[in-house]
Amino acid sequence: EIRIRTALRFPPVTALATVSGEAAEAYVGSLRGSLAAGPGRRDDVDVLGPGDGVWLIRAPDHRILADALGSVRRPPGRFRLSVDPVRL
């Protein structure tokens, strides 16, 4: 299974988070903007989705994932952020 996870870039070889809920689209939009623009531009973090109202955020390791997620201001409304979720 580790070969499959490596090919898909899923944990434990990467860090992964899911974002869902009513304010998820606003949060992910801001995240995409912060990853693509300015001096903090990052191309090592992937934003995938949405699929059934859930976005996947993937990074090479947890430090990079946490830095990316923390670079965005929280939008008004509710959303769920789950790091290394048990189920996708």
Side-chain angles (χ1 to χ4, degrees), residues 9 13-17 44-46 57-62 64-66 68:
R9 295 181 23 216
V13 295
T14 61
L16 186 72
D44 54 355
V45 178
D46 298 320
I57 316 300
R58 183 174 51 200
D61 62 44
H62 287 92
I64 293 171
L65 180 64

Side-chain angles (χ1 to χ4, degrees), residues 39-83:
R41 184 181 181 296
R42 301 200 69 108
D43 57 1
D44 54 355
V45 178
D46 298 320
V47 179
L48 310 168
D52 293 329
V54 178
W55 286 262
L56 297 178
I57 316 300
R58 183 174 51 200
D61 62 44
H62 287 92
R63 181 188 53 78
I64 293 171
L65 180 64
D67 288 348
L69 296 174
S71 70
V72 179
R73 297 189 89 177
R74 181 184 170 95
R78 295 174 57 126
F79 68 96
R80 178 181 301 225
L81 175 65
S82 180
V83 175

